[in-house]
Amino acid sequence: MVFKPVSSPHRHAALSTARVMQWVIAALLPGIAVLTWQFGWGTLINCAIATATALLCEAAMVALRGRSIRFYLNDYSAAVTALLLAVALPPLAPWWLVVIATASAIVIAKQSYGGLGYNPFNPAMVGYVVVLISFPLEMSSWLSPQSLLAAGTSHASLGESLAVVAGASADGWTGATPLDLFKHGVNGQLVDTFYAEQPLFSGAALAGVGWEWVNLAFLAGGLVLLGRGIFTWHAPLAMLASLALMAALFWDGGSSTSGGSLPLHLFSGATMLGALFIITDPVSSAVSTRGRLVYGALIGVLIYLIRVWGNYPDGVAFAILLGNFAAPFIDNYTVPRSYGHQRARRATEHPQ
Amino acid sequence: MRKVWETPGGIHPAENKHQSVGRPIGQLALPEQLVIALNQHAGPAAEPQVAVGQTVLKGERIARSGAAALHAPSSGTVVAIEQRPVAHPSGLPAECIVIACDGRDQWAERQPLADYRSVDRQRLLDTVAERGVAGMGGAGFPTAIKLATDRPITMLIVNATECEPYITADDALLRERADELLTGVDIASYLLGDPAERVVGIEDNKPEAIAALRAAIAARGADHAPVELAIFPTKYPSGGERQLIQIITGQELASGALPAELGIVCQNVGTLYALKRAIVDGEPLISRVTTVTGRACAVNGNYDTLIGTPISALLAHNRLAPERLARLIMGGPMMGIALPSSELPIIKTSNCLIAADDTEVAAEQPAQPCIRCGLCAEACPASLLPQQLFWHAQSQQHDKLEAHNLFDCIECGACSYVCPSNIPLVQYFRAGKGEIRQQRADKAKSDFARERFELRQQRLEQQERDKQAKREARKLAAEQAKAAQAASQASGDEAPANSAAAMIAAAQARAAARLASPEQQREKLERAIASSRARLERADANLAAASAEGADAEALKPLLAGQAAAAQKLAQAEQKLAALAEADSAASPATESTASADAELDAAGRAIAKARQAAAEREALSPAALLDRDIAALDKRLTKLRDKLVAADDDQRELLAASLAKLEAKQQALHSQREAVADGV
């Protein structure tokens, strides 16, 4: 018989932080599979390099902070950051690019702020933006999707892929992303004419050959998480809705100055990855349901603004970081109305 | 069936109720000893009314309390009244009465009140308190106080929710004794002034209890007030008072408000059953239904348990396997307390004992960092943001905690339950509330001290000013007297031998000086009126209290005299004030002031005469008699001071004790002086 003074409650639900992270990793698998199918070994190599770097950096930082390495590595959060980066970076990117991105994410964005739960910015997006700004050339060389490769060629084999990652040229396999192509290739044509000319668009149902599949795979994975109750629908739906609204508002039927169609914005680039895997990161997002609606909507608008009027073809990473900046401010104004109160209070309100 | 509303948040932990409701409510063998804790209900502890060695009968009152008395659960002998460990979240021991049972279980005379409607409401409430009925669902709030609300009540809610896992005490009670519960509802109804609605709120996971209730309601005669059922989906914590009110009425109880403000009173099933037993059967609250469950016990079930039964006796009856016991919990797994020992007595609120094994309690794991996943906010029945509260509780930002409505947290534990990082959120919130309460108390105390200091400062300054004014007036009078004397000497008159004329002149001057400011005079009078009014009120209150206690005429006399004196003083002061006001409004203030100066003069003359007489008397007395008188006066002061000391609070006590010591020293000195004088004589 043991009589320990333990505080109630005496029972606990089964879900643990490690289990949450494991579910996120599982939900990323369809996206990783489609990326590999469309773009070859590169994504898997990215995953391997990023995961190894992330775990090493996490262990080193936790050791430097004098904490238990085992306890902190067991929460799987470093692996999640690594995989999110791996699917966001171009396949066959040079190995050092992946290492720099991952190390920046773990060392700077996560551990130097105090580790899991204390990072104001999404680590994966910080890592991504570090390399996006520092190495624009490497970051803009994506691969052509499977079906657009020249006749008779196929993806780089595992050996070739490893050689490219180690520094060889990837020339035979490179190709623009739909957002890149759309931003820099329209050149005064009507969208319809442009789409017809470009095999990347003409062969696609929604928004670019291969890319639409990648986005649908991330959407599917995200819906599984939503079904499991890992996150709520508020932020993703608000982000997708506000992005769709912006696209619909500024879609002028396809003139040469059009901002891009609604499917193009929803199903290309990192839209679905961002909506279902990045902005749902609870640590760096707003906390209340109302706050998450505002947070998601803000990011959706920012994505559109950066894509259409900014310098970068895709704006998800920047938009999310700006959203992270705004999250504490949003929290201040979106404290829910508690039971028995006439109105919601503000977080900075002083007690009477 | 009634429409029900949905509440936000909530969780669905495994129910684990079936283990303990399979059998009818069991009876237990009489234990050798019963330990009755004196702090079983909210409010101050009860006062024992028995002495060690005294024999008591079952149902005899053994401790008195204004709100809920305590009774001997069985007949026997009081063997101890001492501190014993009890089941309290603080872990502190409490004063207990220990009764060694004689095994006869012999009842004291019972006084059933089957026709309770013929009893006056207030007297019936007193009987409820007298027979020890207190809330049996949670906090043990005295039922008589809850039912004595003076607000108009429109709905009596019977809380049959029992939303915590494992507990089935109310469920079992409803299955077997629904008719008695309904009688309890009728009694409560009468005490509440027959509210328009009586609603039993029950979760849909108790179909047998619902059926029994339906049958009992159908079997009631048409002359009984209708009782409705509100059946709602099972969700923890639907049984929280605020949640239940929202489920049944759709209304939210304002933060910090009591249900009576919405015209609602909630009572637990066990409480209403105890109310019925207490009134209709004349049996005070000496037993309750307790669930004994958990995998460490071979048998699970519900039992009619005497208050004071040792928990170990219940566990032994249910064949506890000590090696399997991982945690012993009193209450449910969500809000119950882990007991430090099995040698504790059952109290009125002990609805459940869980002898949990390893598989039934959460393994103790270190808390991981909060990832702000928000599961806690989804689970919170009060729509708080536990993740933000946790953040601020950790950094002790009390104003932020209050801005996030910490005090609306009902400590249900739903947030801790769902937290994937294993953070003991409720514990943080309890601690945060405690800190804020402590801070508020400290602040109130320091504010009071500051106020007192400032007032004292003001008073001292005022005194200094008054003294100064008096000094100046005296100086002026002396000068005038001197001048008058000089003048009379100069005019050749025989100056009187004593200086009575001078003194009178001085008094006149003083009176004039005082009269110089009627404002001050009025203020003084007003102060006098206020204080005599307060004295009168006090005297009235004393008198009322004394006559309520049934003091005889002889005892009332001094009180009456005191009241009369206070009234007279008040009347005098008021008269004076009126005179003053009249004087103010009078056309010629000069004459008036002369008149009152004359009066003053008379008074001064009288005072002088009195002082002379006193001096003469003093002269006439022998030193020994003088000392005796001083000693007598001092003794009087000492007695007074000692009386005051008894009634004083802590702050005053120190001061009073200090002055008492001083006086005692003085008394000592006087006594020795007296002895010396006596020896000399």
Side-chain angles (χ1 to χ4, degrees), chain A residues 10 12 17 337 339-341 345, chain B residues 242 252 255 333 405 408 421:
Chain A
H10 304 284
H12 196 264
T17 299
R337 185 187 69 85
Y339 179 103
H341 287 265
R345 293 168 107 165
Chain B
R242 294 169 169 259
E252 282 183 25
S255 173
N405 298 325
D408 289 297
S421 291

Side-chain angles (χ1 to χ4, degrees), chain A residues 53-116:
Chain A
T53 313
L55 293 180
L56 272 175
C57 290
E58 179 102 338
M61 288 303 286
V62 168
L64 273 178
R65 292 174 58 212
R67 309 287 171 96
S68 155
I69 295 177
R70 193 192 165 82
F71 181 74
Y72 281 91
L73 285 193
N74 271 346
D75 65 26
Y76 288 82
S77 61
V80 167
T81 301
L83 292 182
L84 289 174
L85 256 175
V87 297
L89 294 172
L92 299 190
W95 64 271
W96 48 264
L97 188 85
V98 183
V99 169
I100 291 174
T102 316
S104 308
I106 299 291
V107 175
I108 298 170
K110 185 177 170 189
Q111 289 294 341
S112 60
Y113 280 97
L116 179 64

Side-chain angles (χ1 to χ4, degrees), chain B residues 159-377:
Chain B
N159 190 347
T161 320
E162 208 165 49
C163 60
E164 277 228 41
Y166 284 93
I167 312 176
T168 54
D170 290 349
D171 189 358
L173 200 56
L174 284 172
R175 289 183 190 201
E176 295 181 27
R177 303 170 194 170
D179 50 338
E180 288 185 84
L181 166 83
L182 292 179
T183 311
V185 172
D186 291 338
I187 300 172
S189 225
Y190 167 61
L191 287 171
L192 291 169
D194 291 308
E197 292 183 280
R198 280 148 295 275
V199 184
V200 182
I202 188 164
E203 283 184 339
D204 60 5
N205 61 352
K206 297 182 247 311
E208 295 86 351
I210 293 170
L213 259 173
R214 285 215 166 107
I217 292 171
R220 273 153 71 93
D223 51 330
H224 286 88
V227 175
E228 270 186 285
L229 286 189
I231 302 162
F232 42 88
T234 303
K235 178 166 89 172
Y236 178 83
S238 298
E241 196 169 60
R242 294 169 169 259
Q243 281 63 42
L244 187 58
I245 287 172
Q246 191 176 15
I247 289 171
I248 291 180
T249 68
Q251 286 176 290
E252 282 183 25
L253 193 54
S255 173
L258 291 172
E261 292 173 39
L262 287 179
I264 296 172
V265 164
C266 294
Q267 287 288 356
N268 166 267
V269 168
T271 317
L272 290 171
Y273 171 75
L275 185 64
K276 183 259 165 188
R277 303 287 292 190
I279 300 300
V280 177
D281 304 306
E283 295 178 6
L285 176 42
I286 52 167
S287 82
R288 64 157 300 134
V289 177
T290 299
T291 307
V292 182
T293 183
R295 288 195 194 133
C297 279
V299 187
N300 288 176
N302 283 289
Y303 302 92
D304 270 322
T305 314
L306 292 180
I307 308 299
T309 305
I311 287 167
S312 54
L314 276 163
L315 295 178
H317 182 268
N318 287 271
R319 302 211 302 278
L320 171 78
E323 68 285 354
R324 291 190 66 187
L325 182 64
R327 202 175 294 176
L328 181 59
I329 300 162
M330 182 182 276
M334 298 303 297
M335 293 182 78
I337 55 174
L339 297 182
S341 144
S342 60
E343 294 306 321
L344 306 176
I346 290 287
I347 54 174
K348 289 179 184 176
T349 54
S350 309
N351 50 5
C352 182
L353 288 171
I354 308 174
D357 74 1
D358 282 334
T359 61
E360 292 178 289
V361 287
E364 284 175 70
Q365 284 173 330
Q368 287 173 292
C370 169
I371 53 168
R372 311 214 296 166
C373 62
L375 289 176
C376 48

Side-chain angles (χ1 to χ4, degrees), chain A residues 33-232:
Chain A
V34 172
L35 276 169
T36 308
W37 165 46
Q38 287 294 331
F39 300 103
W41 290 97
T43 305
L44 290 179
I45 297 171
N46 277 358
C47 287
I49 299 175
T51 309
T53 313
L55 293 180
L56 272 175
C57 290
E58 179 102 338
M61 288 303 286
V62 168
L64 273 178
R65 292 174 58 212
R67 309 287 171 96
S68 155
I69 295 177
R70 193 192 165 82
F71 181 74
Y72 281 91
L73 285 193
N74 271 346
D75 65 26
Y76 288 82
S77 61
V80 167
T81 301
L83 292 182
L84 289 174
L85 256 175
V87 297
L89 294 172
L92 299 190
W95 64 271
W96 48 264
L97 188 85
V98 183
V99 169
I100 291 174
T102 316
S104 308
I106 299 291
V107 175
I108 298 170
K110 185 177 170 189
Q111 289 294 341
S112 60
Y113 280 97
L116 179 64
Y118 295 90
N119 46 296
F121 304 105
N122 182 288
M125 289 302 101
V126 173
Y128 183 84
V129 166
V130 166
V131 290
L132 181 63
I133 295 172
S134 314
F135 311 103
L137 183 66
E138 284 78 3
M139 288 298 285
S140 60
S141 50
W142 263 86
L143 304 185
S144 285
Q146 163 82 21
S147 47
L148 293 190
L149 291 172
T153 54
S154 67
H155 279 309
S157 68
L158 181 58
E160 288 166 328
S161 300
L162 289 171
V164 173
V165 170
S169 161
D171 276 353
W173 300 290
T174 52
T177 67
L179 286 172
D180 203 3
L181 190 64
F182 188 82
K183 192 169 184 74
H184 299 116
V186 176
N187 288 333
Q189 305 168 65
L190 290 178
V191 171
D192 281 346
T193 333
F194 174 68
Y195 268 28
E197 267 176 25
Q198 296 291 339
L200 187 63
F201 288 112
S202 59
L206 290 163
V209 173
W211 284 91
E212 55 197 27
W213 282 108
V214 171
N215 272 280
L216 287 171
F218 283 127
L219 176 62
L223 289 178
V224 171
L225 294 184
L226 186 63
R228 300 284 319 176
I230 305 283
F231 58 75
T232 60

Side-chain angles (χ1 to χ4, degrees), chain B residues 535-536 538-544 546-547 551-567:
Chain B
R535 215 170 296 139
L536 182 62
R538 256 201 318 276
D540 280 339
N542 281 344
L543 197 60
S547 50
D552 58 4
E554 206 56 36
L556 284 179
K557 244 183 211 165
L559 286 170
L560 276 169
Q563 190 201 22

